[in-house]
Amino acid sequence: MSSSASHLAGKPYDYDFVVATTQASINSTMLSYIYGLKPAPTTRCWCATKQRTIEEVTYADLLKKTGGVDPFTIPNDTEMTPGSDLEKVSRSAFVAGFRMTMGIPSGLVSASAPDVVVLGNNTSKVTYNMLCSKFQIVEMQYGPWGPSWLNMSQPSTGWVFQSHVDLRLDPVGQTAYSTLPKPVQDAVKNLGADAFGVQQLLFDLNQAGLSDVPTISGLPSNSQALDFLTTYFVNTYFAEMKTQGGPVLNYTIVKHYNPATLIPTDLNMMVQPFLDPNGKAYAKPTPAQANLATLDYLCACYNKTLPPPVPFTWNWVNADDAKQYHGVVSINRNTFAKYIKDQLSPSIPKNCLIPTAKITMTNAGFSKEYAAHVSMGGVAALSITGAGANVLTLHYEQQADDYAGLNNDEGEIHLKPSLDVNVSFQNDNIVITQHLNIYLSVRSLQTTVSGNIVDYFLKDTYYLGVDGTGQITVNAKHEPLVDKSENPNTNAFVNLFTGINGIVSYVKGQVSFTSTTFQSFPISLVQNFVFPGGKTFAFKKVAFSNNQDLTAAITYAEATNK
């Protein structure tokens, strides 16, 4: 996969994770989603005032003015006669109205439907083609020979309202988002479980405050409908929505609980054009290359500052990938390493041993008693490395010493436990190695015995997979303990004076592999991780990139508004 080049920890990126989906997958999924929508229609009406101005009235108030007559039911070119419904509408000072419903026009098959979204190469000018399943306009037109009545609906193939939408979600700078009211900003920058779905994207695309003035296709330049739509839809209704920051169409989304392990605290969007073999965007991409462009969600977690959008030097999806997947979720190697570190850290103090060593002179100084002891609870922390497959490392050691006699001539004892832990990410697995060592040295007069009385090695390999909801699955291989411990070579005479055999047995008993002191880490430390976007995507493949980012191939799950 192209995502094998992912390097989010590299400068200038440093995003905690990125979700990238192709233009082709966005459009196919969004069209399917819109086909299934059953939103309430948006109805807008205007009446004349005594001051010879035009003001908007609600549909309910209009019906009160007309005595319950619905102007949208009066046929086109109806002549006004005394007592007719049209006369009742005229007495209400009705001027114009429209009714539209988001959806796919009945005569527009998916094969001929325009792309809802054209990403292009500029995040501030993403093309949005708004479609309506129904669009009806009514207008009372006054002329020198009396009023005439216009009632027109879009053809079965629909009218297309095309605009350019600024999807940059920067709260400062020259972005449309920065001008929106705070409640609208919060709705657009959805940080919940549905943040990456076509439902949320459609909501964002419909925000008039993010869009320029739409153009309308499917109408002759001299048509009455185009004049009406320009006057009332574009210049009046759309302008009002743009000022208020409201949605163009009556459309809301239902938010869901987010089970993901990484919850974004900030988010931005960026268009990533498909790159040529030299890492440059195609100046004139073919339709196939344009469809491989991705909309990238750049995410920060833990309330970190989100770095500004910077184009990636790799493609997230290539042509072969696109036959199987819709996009990629990629998690910064340092962010995932932090997660693993947090899971391992509670177990570390068990293996960080604190030594004590003591020589006690007895029998008026003619005898010596040697003692050594280790206890759990030393302080050490895993460190995240800057680069390379080895992402977490820890080295801990402490030494206890004691001496006896004038100028230490009677004897000495040294006890030094140490712990090394290394975690590496490679291919589709995590490898954790542990090395626990206790070095003991005892001298009595001129005789010294020493050795690594505990020398344990453990290696655990976790082979990663992922289920459809984004939950990581694990097959663990726990290799048997490798014991390279040494028993210091002591004879009965030395042992008589030092008791070293008893010391070795005592210390080794404190760190037995069968105890909780030194053991393999449980599968749950990895298996509890849930990828972002589990409510939106189905996950099919997981692997570490060449730079240790954790990546997963994704396809849009069935989009619903439930």
Side-chain angles (χ1 to χ4, degrees):
M1 291 179 63
S2 294
S3 58
S4 61
S6 179
H7 192 195
L8 298 183
K11 299 299 181 184
Y13 305 118
D14 205 26
Y15 313 116
D16 282 313
F17 68 90
V18 171
V19 178
T21 53
T22 64
Q23 175 177 294
S25 68
I26 290 171
N27 281 304
S28 62
T29 307
M30 189 170 287
L31 279 173
S32 296
Y33 175 66
I34 294 174
Y35 266 115
L37 276 178
K38 296 180 180 179
T42 298
T43 303
R44 292 296 175 117
C45 303
W46 290 267
C47 289
T49 67
K50 293 180 180 179
Q51 291 75 33
R52 297 178 181 270
T53 60
I54 294 176
E55 67 177 7
E56 185 174 354
V57 297
T58 66
Y59 178 63
D61 286 343
L62 176 64
L63 292 182
K64 292 177 183 178
K65 290 175 177 286
T66 64
V69 176
D70 183 354
F72 291 94
T73 63
I74 300 175
N76 187 48
D77 288 335
T78 295
E79 292 187 4
M80 188 181 300
T81 58
S84 66
D85 285 347
L86 188 59
E87 184 186 44
K88 295 174 183 177
V89 170
S90 177
R91 288 176 182 172
S92 72
F94 178 80
V95 175
F98 67 79
R99 177 173 289 162
M100 60 181 180
T101 304
M102 177 185 287
I104 306 297
S106 60
L108 195 64
V109 296
S110 59
S112 60
D115 285 339
V116 179
V117 179
V118 179
L119 294 177
N121 58 10
N122 188 340
T123 312
S124 68
K125 294 190 70 175
V126 172
T127 300
Y128 170 47
N129 292 313
M130 188 184 79
L131 300 172
C132 293
S133 60
K134 297 178 182 178
F135 205 118
Q136 181 183 6
I137 59 178
V138 290
E139 182 180 22
M140 185 76 76
Q141 299 173 328
Y142 295 92
W145 295 279
S148 62
W149 180 249
L150 173 68
N151 186 335
M152 182 180 294
S153 295
Q154 68 176 10
S156 62
T157 53
W159 296 325
V160 178
F161 300 81
Q162 184 177 99
S163 57
H164 296 103
V165 183
D166 185 353
L167 290 180
R168 298 172 300 170
L169 304 186
D170 298 313
V172 296
Q174 302 299 313
T175 66
Y177 175 83
S178 66
T179 67
L180 297 176
K182 184 62 167 61
V184 180
Q185 286 185 343
D186 292 341
V188 168
K189 188 181 284 191
N190 173 11
L191 300 176
D194 309 284
F196 317 115
V198 294
Q199 300 96 320
Q200 179 65 41
L201 179 58
L202 188 59
F203 178 85
D204 296 346
L205 292 169
N206 272 285
Q207 296 302 311
L210 299 179
S211 174
D212 63 6
V213 177
T215 59
I216 307 164
S217 60
L219 286 166
S221 59
N222 60 348
S223 72
Q224 287 179 298
L226 183 59
D227 289 342
F228 175 96
L229 291 170
T230 301
T231 301
Y232 291 102
F233 179 78
V234 175
N235 296 341
T236 304
Y237 170 69
F238 185 86
E240 176 192 345
M241 290 297 98
K242 190 170 180 65
T243 300
Q244 296 178 357
V248 177
L249 291 169
N250 189 354
Y251 170 67
T252 59
I253 59 174
V254 178
K255 295 187 178 181
H256 300 91
Y257 164 71
N258 192 353
T261 302
L262 297 176
I263 306 296
T265 52
D266 201 0
L267 175 151
N268 205 344
M269 285 192 262
M270 179 179 73
V271 168
Q272 174 76 14
F274 189 67
L275 306 178
D276 66 19
N278 296 317
K280 303 294 183 181
Y282 287 95
K284 294 181 179 180
T286 65
Q289 291 164 345
N291 275 328
L292 290 172
T294 55
L295 181 61
D296 300 347
Y297 297 83
L298 317 176
C299 300
C301 303
Y302 311 112
N303 293 307
K304 292 193 297 188
T305 299
L306 180 67
V310 177
F312 297 109
T313 57
W314 60 88
N315 291 314
W316 288 109
V317 178
N318 61 33
D320 289 335
D321 299 332
K323 296 175 183 177
Q324 307 175 69
Y325 313 122
H326 290 162
V328 172
V329 175
S330 182
I331 298 172
N332 187 316
R333 54 99 71 183
N334 293 342
T335 303
F336 190 64
K338 178 185 181 302
Y339 169 78
I340 298 297
K341 174 184 175 181
D342 291 344
Q343 304 306 303
L344 293 176
S345 292
S347 300
I348 294 299
K350 298 178 184 178
N351 301 329
C352 294
L353 302 177
I354 302 172
T356 56
K358 183 69 176 175
I359 304 176
T360 302
M361 301 298 296
T362 61
N363 194 22
F366 287 99
S367 301
K368 302 183 288 291
E369 292 183 356
Y370 291 78
H373 174 76
V374 291
S375 60
M376 295 182 290
V379 178
L382 287 158
S383 299
I384 299 174
T385 64
N390 198 35
V391 296
L392 287 170
T393 185
L394 175 147
H395 176 74
Y396 165 88
E397 67 176 50
Q398 276 200 36
Q399 181 166 323
D401 309 290
D402 200 18
Y403 304 88
L406 183 65
N407 297 321
N408 305 329
D409 56 353
E410 286 287 337
E412 60 187 286
I413 183 172
H414 307 282
L415 185 65
K416 183 174 74 173
S418 64
L419 174 69
D420 288 280
V421 179
N422 289 285
V423 180
S424 64
F425 297 164
Q426 50 194 334
N427 301 320
D428 64 347
N429 59 74
I430 299 172
V431 178
I432 302 178
T433 59
Q434 301 177 73
H435 178 203
L436 180 64
N437 180 274
I438 300 178
Y439 173 79
L440 174 66
S441 176
V442 176
R443 177 178 63 83
S444 179
L445 300 176
Q446 302 303 314
T447 303
T448 300
V449 291
S450 63
N452 295 315
I453 62 171
V454 172
D455 200 11
Y456 293 162
F457 295 83
L458 273 179
K459 180 179 179 181
D460 302 310
T461 303
Y462 302 86
Y463 297 93
L464 305 185
V466 63
D467 67 15
T469 65
Q471 179 97 33
I472 281 186
T473 61
V474 179
N475 285 318
K477 179 182 179 182
H478 301 299
E479 297 187 13
L481 173 74
V482 177
D483 186 354
K484 296 184 178 181
S485 303
E486 300 170 338
N487 287 315
N489 185 16
T490 62
N491 56 36
F493 177 78
V494 172
N495 189 57
L496 174 67
F497 285 95
T498 64
I500 189 170
N501 289 341
I503 294 172
V504 170
S505 297
Y506 177 70
V507 173
K508 291 187 70 170
Q510 292 177 298
V511 292
S512 170
F513 178 60
T514 60
S515 74
T516 58
T517 306
F518 189 63
Q519 59 186 4
S520 296
F521 293 107
I523 290 176
S524 59
L525 80 89
V526 182
Q527 196 163 269
N528 290 338
F529 185 87
V530 180
F531 273 94
K535 291 290 184 180
T536 300
F537 305 109
F539 294 76
K540 294 190 175 182
K541 185 178 181 181
V542 63
F544 290 104
S545 74
N546 298 336
N547 301 291
Q548 292 74 53
D549 290 345
L550 181 63
T551 68
I554 54 176
T555 57
Y556 279 107
E558 182 179 357
T560 69
N561 200 34
K562 298 178 180 179

